Amino acid sequence: MVGSISFKMSTTAHTEPMADEEEPLFSNLDLFLFSLIVGLVVYWFMSRKKPEPIPEFKKAPTTRETSFIEKMKKTSKNIIVFYGSQTGTGEEFANRMSKDAQRYGMKGMAADPEEYEMGELSRLSEIKNSLAIFCMATYGEGDPTDNAQDFYDWLQENDDEDLSGLNYTVFALGNKTYEHYNAMGKYVDKRLEELGAKRIFDLGLGDDDGNLEEDFISWREQFWPAVCEHFGVEALGDDSSIRQYELKEHTDINMNKVYTGEIGRLKSFEVQKPPFDSKNPFLATVTVNRRLNKAGDRHLMHLEVDISGSKIRYESGDHIAIFPTNDSALVNKLGQILGVDLDAVISLNNLDEESNKKHPFPCPTSYRTALTHYLDITNSPRTNVLYELAQYASDPKDQENMRKMASSSPEGKALYQSWVLGASRNILAVLEDMPSLKPPVDHLCELLPRLQARYYSIASSSKVHPNSIHICAVVVEYKTGTGRTNKGVATNWLKNKLVTDNSHKSTVPMYIRKSQFRLPFKATNPVIMIGPGTGIAPFMGFIQERAWLKEQGKEVGETVMFFGCRYKNEDYLYQEELEEAEKTQVLTQLNVAFSRDQEQKVYVQHLLKKNKEHIWKLIHSDNAHIYVCGDAKNMAHDVQTALYEIGEELGGMTRTQAIDYVKKTDDKGRYSQDVWS
């Protein structure tokens, strides 16, 4: 707002005017002052007028196409492969299926359901010979993956949706050791049928506890002939490699425009902006890194990272997701064996210009950055990678073996199982053991899956540590069948994240993944915590929170802990903290199973049976909440069996009734598991 200007004019009274001179109408002073006023007023009005802005001819912002129907029509696609993926495998399978379509004279596209309007499924019939394929992974205890949550909600909420024109099939990714095996894939398959869609091939079930790759290949080998028969088309018989990206080498580029490890936005690690999530992680400073076990061959560690100023909030039981980097020694060896300049700056650009996925990883970047930060070089390569790389083997025998391992023949499956999976060969080991195999590094970078974030149960309470997150983990290191030493990517990387006193501080890119693993809303509810080894992690947060509640003067129910380790003098994790909690009655009962301190092995499930009367009273009479954290395959299963047996013995139930009883506690949110295989 422009302020107004006021003038105070003073006049001089002439008491004795001259008689011989006529007085002019305006004196010189009056004219001067009048001119001044007019000038100032004109200036004031002129200054109020805003200068004309110089027009800028900016490129209109590109709006992401949310209609997959319009995109399919524009690009002449008739097959769309949606994926629900948490660790990247579902996305990888979807990409393989969309590339397969080309071999059958069709055109496919892989799609993230989070990026599209899924209500358009009913319109897919507008496209001739159209088909929707769903590669859906199950996360945790039967949950959808983060990127499929909205799609899951949409399926649940839209009972009046008519999908009668939709042809579909589902391949589910899961793990049999989990109670809700492949729940998401099964739900999508059943729900689409309920809404009128037509299933054109049986639901595929992939078991990661067995051989997920083999399950996928077997299903896929039967799926495509069924599709050909359904649409009346014939396979082209074209088995040649299909490139999805083309290489562009940058010889003269501003290095400020080159990605150096950022997950999403360029320079996001230099200028940190909340909110922080999977596409924009926060660089948390490591403030504590100490070894937890007193002795033994293994290295168990406790880390603390600082989240001050990040606005990140977490609850006890949540997971911290960490983006690790690959060992530089492995990256250098890959560079040597492929004879490549790792510091060459490149881009891999999608040949399909309409694709939402312009690059397989952030580009432009160097081969070194891609192999260090973006690509998974430590897991065993999947069969599609071997198949596509086979063409670069100069020895016909190597070519034959690689193609055989990628086939669905019993002999090929057995060879892949023994030579790749059984021997834990990563891509470097494959290249070392097949000297005739010399693939171009850009094609290898196209084929390798993305390096994924690793999830750890948070071992602290935000009530006690609002600006700090604690992690408890065991460093993974083992000898393979070929005599090599394989090291876990994230745990070995974290082990070396030392707290330094000089100007360089160790940081880790991280974000929070919310969990359903929560303390009861009512603090008076008893809790039973069962967690051997690093499964103790979330319970350290629970114990801190129960102690904090007591300090606030709140009434807190019984807090019972069942912890298991190998030897009391080696790997009794958090011994001092647990014994102090027992002393102050934050832990009303501490039960520790030292499995190898005596001839007869003792595990947490044995201690549960030993305390059966107390456990049964807490569960049956006192509304206790049960929490299990750790190994899904054996421990979690054995704990459940122990609870069934307690129900049979003290509840007078049959095994079927006991199973049903425990399931009801689960349905009521009183039985929670945070388990891994």
Side-chain angles (χ1 to χ4, degrees):
M1 181 178 165
V2 181
S4 59
I5 305 168
S6 63
F7 296 96
K8 195 171 181 181
M9 294 177 64
S10 62
T11 55
T12 306
H14 297 277
T15 54
E16 293 177 342
M18 291 176 70
D20 60 339
E21 190 175 326
E22 186 180 339
E23 189 175 343
L25 188 62
F26 294 105
S27 71
N28 287 338
L29 179 62
D30 289 338
L31 288 168
F32 169 76
L33 289 171
F34 182 76
S35 302
L36 182 65
I37 292 165
V38 169
L40 286 168
V41 169
V42 168
Y43 174 79
W44 178 55
F45 274 105
M46 291 297 287
S47 68
R48 288 181 71 196
K49 192 177 180 186
K50 293 274 189 294
E52 285 287 324
I54 299 165
E56 287 185 46
F57 297 99
K58 284 185 181 171
K59 189 180 173 186
T62 53
T63 52
R64 174 166 278 184
E65 177 74 80
T66 59
S67 168
F68 64 84
I69 297 294
E70 297 312 315
K71 180 163 278 195
M72 288 174 78
K73 285 178 178 177
K74 199 188 297 181
T75 55
S76 305
K77 304 268 170 65
N78 65 326
I79 291 181
I80 185 160
V81 194
F82 291 106
Y83 57 85
S85 186
Q86 197 71 29
T87 63
T89 311
E91 182 178 0
E92 192 187 325
F93 284 3
N95 281 321
R96 285 162 70 176
M97 294 296 283
S98 69
K99 275 174 88 171
D100 277 349
Q102 210 165 318
R103 295 193 170 101
Y104 294 88
M106 294 177 259
K107 287 185 79 178
M109 64 178 269
D112 183 342
E114 199 171 33
E115 294 183 355
Y116 292 101
E117 181 52 63
M118 296 305 284
E120 286 198 329
L121 281 172
S122 59
R123 290 183 57 204
L124 201 59
S125 56
E126 294 173 18
I127 296 167
K128 192 183 174 192
N129 284 357
S130 62
L131 169 66
I133 303 169
F134 296 85
C135 292
M136 307 306 291
T138 298
Y139 184 78
E141 293 305 302
D143 301 321
T145 57
D146 290 352
N147 77 311
Q149 183 67 54
D150 291 344
F151 174 46
Y152 175 75
D153 294 342
W154 179 82
L155 284 172
Q156 282 199 310
E157 292 159 9
N158 289 277
D159 286 332
D160 55 349
E161 195 70 37
D162 179 15
L163 299 182
S164 54
L166 173 68
N167 295 312
Y168 81 95
T169 192
V170 178
F171 182 80
L173 298 84
N175 189 308
K176 264 205 177 110
T177 58
Y178 291 81
E179 187 181 347
H180 305 280
Y181 173 55
N182 270 323
M184 182 60 182
K186 289 173 181 173
Y187 174 75
V188 171
D189 180 63
K190 175 171 161 282
R191 186 64 175 145
L192 290 173
E193 185 182 45
E194 286 172 357
L195 296 174
K198 182 179 181 183
R199 184 191 297 107
I200 68 157
F201 191 68
D202 296 338
L203 167 70
L205 297 175
D207 178 19
D208 202 26
D209 184 50
N211 187 331
L212 183 60
E213 179 71 12
E214 188 178 306
D215 295 337
F216 176 65
I217 289 172
S218 300
W219 177 83
R220 179 171 150 244
E221 289 277 321
Q222 297 170 61
F223 166 74
W224 284 113
V227 171
C228 290
E229 188 182 337
H230 180 84
F231 292 122
V233 296
E234 286 184 24
L236 298 179
D238 180 15
D239 281 344
S240 62
S241 173
I242 300 163
R243 291 295 298 265
Q244 194 177 347
Y245 299 93
E246 65 178 348
L247 172 67
K248 178 175 170 56
E249 294 173 330
H250 303 280
T251 50
D252 183 23
I253 188 169
N254 181 347
M255 293 309 282
N256 281 326
K257 294 183 177 173
V258 177
Y259 284 86
T260 56
E262 306 94 324
I263 306 302
R265 180 174 52 86
L266 186 68
K267 302 292 177 193
S268 63
F269 288 163
E270 289 176 28
V271 182
Q272 293 258 277
K273 292 178 184 171
F276 297 105
D277 55 27
S278 60
K279 293 180 176 67
N280 180 39
F282 176 67
L283 279 182
T285 305
V286 178
T287 54
V288 174
N289 185 348
R290 63 184 170 91
R291 184 169 176 159
L292 277 173
N293 51 322
K294 301 178 183 78
D297 299 332
R298 298 185 306 159
H299 184 101
L300 294 115
M301 58 188 170
H302 172 89
L303 277 95
E304 297 179 17
V305 297
D306 185 12
I307 55 169
S308 300
S310 66
K311 297 184 179 170
I312 288 173
R313 299 283 175 266
Y314 74 94
E315 297 292 331
S316 303
D318 282 344
H319 297 136
I320 178 172
I322 285 175
F323 289 95
T325 62
N326 288 314
D327 185 347
S328 59
L330 285 181
V331 174
N332 289 333
K333 275 189 192 171
L334 270 173
Q336 282 170 2
I337 209 164
L338 295 169
V340 65
D341 174 10
L342 289 172
D343 296 310
V345 177
I346 57 107
S347 288
L348 288 179
N349 301 324
N350 204 319
L351 291 162
D352 177 2
E353 290 181 2
E354 294 295 327
S355 173
N356 276 3
K357 193 172 183 179
K358 301 300 180 194
H359 317 283
F361 44 77
C363 290
T365 191
S366 68
Y367 285 122
R368 186 183 304 281
T369 300
L371 292 167
T372 303
H373 294 276
Y374 300 138
L375 297 170
D376 184 346
I377 62 173
T378 56
N379 274 323
S380 296
R382 296 200 185 276
T383 57
N384 66 306
V385 177
L386 299 179
Y387 182 86
E388 300 241 5
L389 293 183
Q391 62 185 304
Y392 303 115
S394 54
D395 182 339
K397 188 73 183 159
D398 285 346
Q399 269 201 34
E400 185 193 338
N401 280 333
M402 290 177 79
R403 292 213 167 100
K404 190 187 286 179
M405 284 190 279
S407 75
S408 60
S409 71
E411 190 189 354
K413 286 178 181 177
L415 185 59
Y416 177 73
Q417 178 63 45
S418 61
W419 197 79
V420 178
L421 299 181
S424 300
R425 276 185 173 89
N426 57 28
I427 191 63
L428 177 62
V430 169
L431 291 167
E432 285 175 336
D433 294 346
M434 280 189 174
S436 89
L437 179 60
K438 298 288 180 193
V441 66
D442 62 294
H443 198 179
L444 182 67
C445 287
E446 175 178 324
L447 292 170
L448 289 174
R450 280 292 293 268
L451 182 60
Q452 299 292 328
R454 291 348 193 225
Y455 298 93
Y456 298 94
S457 302
I458 293 176
S460 53
S461 163
S462 58
K463 301 283 193 298
V464 183
H465 300 283
N467 294 315
S468 176
I469 290 175
H470 300 183
I471 302 164
C472 169
V474 59
V475 176
V476 177
E477 190 170 323
Y478 60 95
K479 272 268 190 283
T480 73
T482 63
R484 294 177 172 92
T485 299
N486 276 9
K487 294 180 176 183
V489 179
T491 53
N492 279 275
W493 176 73
L494 285 171
K495 180 187 172 185
N496 294 315
K497 286 285 175 185
L498 304 176
V499 181
T500 51
D501 294 325
N502 59 24
S503 57
H504 178 73
K505 290 180 178 175
S506 291
T507 57
V508 296
M510 53 72 63
Y511 68 96
I512 297 298
R513 189 182 195 280
K514 293 293 176 190
S515 165
Q516 300 302 314
F517 203 71
R518 289 276 183 272
L519 278 168
F521 179 72
K522 286 169 71 178
T524 50
N525 282 119
V527 300
I528 302 165
M529 304 175 291
I530 306 155
T534 55
I536 196 173
F539 302 135
M540 295 310 296
F542 282 11
I543 291 164
Q544 288 172 15
E545 192 141 326
R546 301 282 268 194
W548 180 84
L549 287 165
K550 285 190 86 166
E551 282 170 18
Q552 304 301 305
K554 300 272 171 61
E555 188 188 339
V556 177
E558 281 199 56
T559 307
V560 179
M561 177 86 213
F562 289 89
F563 173 62
C565 60
R566 296 177 183 185
Y567 304 100
K568 183 174 184 177
N569 296 326
E570 271 190 22
D571 52 0
Y572 187 172
L573 308 184
Y574 300 108
Q575 181 179 355
E576 294 79 12
E577 290 93 327
L578 291 175
E579 289 176 352
E580 178 61 27
E582 186 184 33
K583 199 167 133 188
T584 57
Q585 277 295 288
V586 170
L587 273 180
T588 48
Q589 193 182 337
L590 174 60
N591 309 279
V592 188
F594 304 108
S595 62
R596 302 181 188 186
D597 269 345
Q598 60 286 310
E599 198 177 324
Q600 189 77 30
K601 286 191 177 169
V602 177
Y603 296 117
V604 285
Q605 62 267 23
H606 299 132
L607 297 190
L608 276 171
K609 295 286 294 293
K610 195 175 170 185
N611 288 271
K612 59 191 175 189
E613 284 84 4
H614 186 219
I615 292 299
W616 180 247
K617 177 185 175 293
L618 289 176
I619 296 170
H620 191 62
S621 307
D622 301 343
N623 210 33
H625 287 233
I626 308 157
Y627 300 90
V628 182
C629 183
D631 161 52
K633 192 170 187 176
N634 299 310
M635 182 277 299
H637 179 263
D638 293 342
V639 163
Q640 242 176 17
T641 303
L643 292 172
Y644 298 155
E645 289 170 2
I646 291 170
E648 283 179 275
E649 191 181 337
L650 299 176
M653 303 175 185
T654 63
R655 174 55 66 100
T656 308
Q657 288 170 326
I659 290 170
D660 190 48
Y661 182 87
V662 172
K663 191 181 181 309
K664 276 180 182 156
T665 63
D666 185 358
D667 294 343
K668 289 174 183 171
R670 284 178 50 213
Y671 192 104
S672 303
Q673 296 189 88
D674 182 359
V675 292
W676 54 83
S677 58

